[in-house]
């Protein structure tokens, strides 16, 4: 071999070109991507990825949830693989890097090893997880969730989008309803490279985030029930207006979240009023609510605060308030050995770095339930993500991929000549 494993580096220009080519699929006029899960655009992205993987010497298999596994054999087929990957689906107004960087960084690792004729002892696999975003089908991370056993296959296949189309039917329609079981298998280690989706690395002028875990997330659908009436004749004091109850709940809960902890998060991401007429007080309003905290006790505090405020406002406003739990992802601590592999790699490469907890949910949350896991973050401009203006520096992406390469080699081992 011309290169020792420690000397090996990925091709940053090739990685960047692949990112830009993938970004053309579902490209938006504002410079982002709309490649929602199991759309025709998602199918095109999947087809391109699998084509590239076969060219890099990988074998492809697809499971019953449409999760794609691209395998590069190791010298010892009995060893469990080292895996990496993320997702190709985007938000409706998403960017070029969220998810796709982790997938194509894994592909670039495979290409680099193939180019230099280096074989690992354990096999390597790049994974594309289905519907990580949760933008078209709720909840998020459903492909990895079914795979790890958090959800049943029937539950996964039965999730509907706003038009009543199910994941199962759409997987079949786009040709990615695979025949492999959607269930875990032995894994030596798992890594996921990702843009940070926050401002910390950029603010501190750090190149790499060594991710030690993921904060907890709870999703709710909060329904406010009122009495529909005419906008003109009905005095304000005589109304049971669910929008007033909604506004008071948001004001009070935002205040409590901010007062509780700098680490707490609250987001009101979607609102729907029915019947949806400009001059009619709504009969009901449905709020999609997202609460987050890195500690279990913090997430529980936010959960209890929501229920307490809702109960108090029911009595004060006369509106019924119904809270439905949509999804609960508890805080996660990653595997110490995988964290050390990332930390050793970044120190060996001489890149600036810091340890951090992820504020966003990732497929690694579910993978960590059945395998040793860690993540690698790189900065994104202004911490902006889930936005067409999402941006990352080619140099940072290249360095993040080099860290991924070295961490994977450390856990997979290198075959003897």
């Amino acid at each position: 071999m011309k290169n020792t494993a420690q000397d090996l580096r990925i091709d940053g220009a090739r990685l960047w070109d692949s990112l830009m080519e993938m970004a053309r699929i579902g490209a938006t006029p504002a410079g982002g991507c709309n490649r929602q899960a199991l759309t025709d655009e998602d199918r095109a992205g999947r087809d391109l990825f699998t084509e590239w993987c076969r060219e890099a010497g990988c074998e492809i298999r697809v499971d019953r949830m449409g999760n794609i596994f691209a395998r590069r054999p190791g010298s010892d087929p009995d060893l469990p693989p080292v895996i990496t990957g993320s997702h190709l689906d985007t938000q409706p107004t998403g960017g070029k890097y969220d998810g796709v960087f982790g997938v194509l960084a894994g592909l670039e690792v495979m290409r680099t090893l193939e180019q230099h004729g280096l074989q690992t002892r354990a096999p390597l696999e790049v994974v594309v997880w289905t519907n990580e975003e949760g933008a078209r089908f709720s909840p998020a991370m459903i492909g990895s969730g079914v795979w790890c056993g958090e959800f049943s296959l029937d539950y996964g296949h039965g999730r509907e989008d706003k038009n009543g189309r199910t994941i199962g039917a759409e997987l079949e329609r786009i040709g990615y309803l695979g025949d492999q079981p959607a269930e875990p298998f032995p894994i030596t280690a798992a890594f996921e490279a990702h843009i940070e989706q926050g401002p910390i690395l950029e603010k501190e002028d750090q190149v790499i985030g060594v991710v030690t875990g993921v904060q907890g997330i709870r999703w709710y659908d909060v329904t406010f029930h009122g009495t529909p009436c005419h906008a003109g004749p009905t005095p304000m004091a005589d109304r049971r207006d669910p929008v007033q109850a909604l506004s008071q709940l948001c004001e009070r809960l935002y205040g409590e979240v901010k007062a509780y902890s700098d680490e707490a998060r609250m987001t009101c991401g979607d609102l729907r009023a029915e019947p949806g007429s400009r001059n009619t007080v709504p009969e009901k309003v449905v709020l999609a609510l997202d609460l987050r905290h890195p500690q279990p006790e913090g997430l529980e505090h936010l959960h209890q605060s929501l229920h307490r405020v809702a109960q108090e406002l029911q009595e004060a406003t006369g509106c019924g308030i119904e809270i439905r739990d949509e999804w609960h992802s508890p805080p996660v601590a990653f595997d110490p050995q995988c964290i050390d592999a990332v930390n050793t790699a970044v120190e060996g490469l001489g890149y600036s770095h810091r340890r951090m907890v992820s504020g966003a949910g990732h497929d690694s949350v579910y993978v960590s339930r059945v395998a040793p896991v860690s993540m690698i973050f790189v900065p994104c401009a202004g911490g902006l993500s889930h936005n067409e203006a999402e941006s990352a520096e080619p140099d940072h992406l290249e360095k993040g991929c080099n860290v991924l390469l070295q961490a994977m080699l450390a856990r997979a081992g290198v075959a003897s000549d």
Side-chain angles (χ1 to χ4, degrees):
M1 290 184 296
K2 295 180 180 179
N3 298 84
T4 66
Q6 291 79 12
D7 293 332
L8 209 58
R9 300 292 183 267
I10 65 99
D11 185 333
R14 182 170 57 196
L15 172 62
W16 180 258
D17 289 345
S18 298
L19 285 163
M20 294 305 103
E21 185 170 349
M22 185 64 75
R24 287 197 284 270
I25 300 174
T28 64
C33 289
N34 180 8
R35 199 170 50 244
Q36 294 178 65
L38 311 185
T39 57
D40 291 344
E41 291 78 15
D42 188 25
R43 170 172 53 192
R46 288 163 171 259
D47 288 349
L48 180 59
F49 168 74
T50 55
E51 176 187 342
W52 282 341
C53 287
R54 290 189 176 98
E55 290 172 354
C58 297
E59 303 165 355
I60 304 295
R61 66 186 192 279
V62 182
D63 73 15
R64 297 284 293 167
M65 273 302 294
N67 300 314
I68 304 169
F69 300 84
R71 185 181 183 97
R72 186 174 193 269
S75 63
D76 187 345
D78 294 329
L79 288 177
V82 173
I83 72 170
T84 188
S86 194
H87 60 97
L88 291 173
D89 65 308
T90 74
Q91 293 286 327
T93 52
K96 300 183 181 75
Y97 309 98
D98 176 5
V100 66
F101 167 57
V103 171
L104 297 186
L107 170 63
E108 178 55 32
V109 167
M110 303 297 199
R111 285 171 163 172
T112 299
L113 297 178
E114 190 74 4
Q115 175 184 347
H116 292 278
L118 191 149
Q119 186 177 30
T120 53
R121 290 187 62 242
L124 303 183
E125 294 192 358
V126 183
V127 187
V128 175
W129 300 107
T130 296
N131 190 59
E132 190 273 351
E133 290 290 1
R136 184 181 178 196
F137 302 97
S138 180
M141 297 141 52
I142 190 70
S144 57
V146 170
W147 177 83
C148 85
E150 172 68 13
F151 309 113
S152 71
L153 182 62
D154 287 344
Y155 175 86
H157 280 181
R159 303 306 289 169
E160 296 183 353
D161 67 8
K162 292 180 179 179
N163 297 312
R165 298 187 179 96
T166 66
I167 285 180
E170 289 294 87
L171 281 171
E172 187 169 14
R173 182 186 70 83
I174 70 168
Y176 278 89
L177 180 62
D179 58 3
Q180 298 294 304
E183 60 187 29
F185 48 83
I187 290 171
T188 294
F191 299 96
E192 183 175 1
H194 211 281
I195 59 170
E196 181 195 346
Q197 301 181 284
I200 295 172
L201 291 175
E202 184 181 58
K203 282 184 176 180
E204 297 185 1
D205 197 24
Q206 303 289 329
V207 172
I208 300 294
V210 180
V211 186
T212 59
V214 178
Q215 69 178 349
I217 306 170
R218 295 198 75 142
W219 282 4
Y220 309 86
D221 284 340
V222 185
T223 304
F224 301 80
H225 298 275
T227 301
C229 58
H230 198 291
T234 311
M236 298 296 288
D238 294 333
R239 299 182 180 190
R240 290 178 63 247
D241 185 346
V243 178
Q244 289 190 44
L246 164 71
S247 66
Q248 292 178 48
L249 181 137
C250 288
E251 181 180 9
R252 287 187 54 184
L253 197 57
Y254 271 123
E256 294 207 13
V257 168
K258 290 176 182 177
Y260 178 69
S261 167
D262 288 341
E263 295 179 312
R265 304 286 186 269
M266 169 184 166
T267 303
C268 301
D270 188 47
L271 291 170
R272 184 178 75 252
E274 297 179 8
S277 173
R278 183 184 300 272
N279 62 344
T280 301
V281 172
E283 180 176 0
K284 71 177 182 179
V285 176
V286 182
L287 164 68
L289 177 66
D290 178 313
L291 297 177
R292 304 188 184 211
H293 199 278
Q295 302 300 326
E297 59 272 19
L299 194 61
E300 179 62 22
H301 174 85
L302 301 182
H303 174 76
Q304 295 298 332
S305 295
L306 167 64
H307 282 267
R308 174 176 48 78
V309 171
Q311 181 60 43
E312 292 170 0
L313 287 176
Q314 280 195 128
E315 299 169 4
T317 66
C319 292
I321 303 178
E322 174 189 355
I323 300 173
R324 185 179 70 83
D325 291 320
E326 171 67 10
W327 182 47
H328 179 200
S329 179
V332 171
F334 286 150
D335 176 73
Q337 287 186 307
C338 287
I339 295 169
D340 287 346
V342 173
N343 200 72
T344 299
V346 75
E347 288 181 348
L349 290 160
Y351 303 152
S352 62
H353 61 283
R354 60 159 289 167
R355 293 194 173 213
M356 63 194 309
V357 173
S358 172
H362 299 282
D363 289 306
S364 288
V365 170
Y366 285 140
V367 177
S368 71
R369 298 189 181 185
V370 296
V373 169
S374 186
M375 293 186 70
I376 301 158
F377 277 175
V378 298
C380 54
L384 198 63
S385 185
H386 286 197
N387 188 303
E388 291 162 290
E390 180 182 272
S391 180
E393 292 293 329
D395 179 63
H396 292 157
L397 298 170
E398 178 179 349
K399 287 176 177 175
C401 192
N402 277 329
V403 174
L404 176 66
L405 168 66
Q406 291 299 323
M408 293 184 73
L409 288 176
R411 294 309 309 271
V414 177
S416 302
D417 289 335

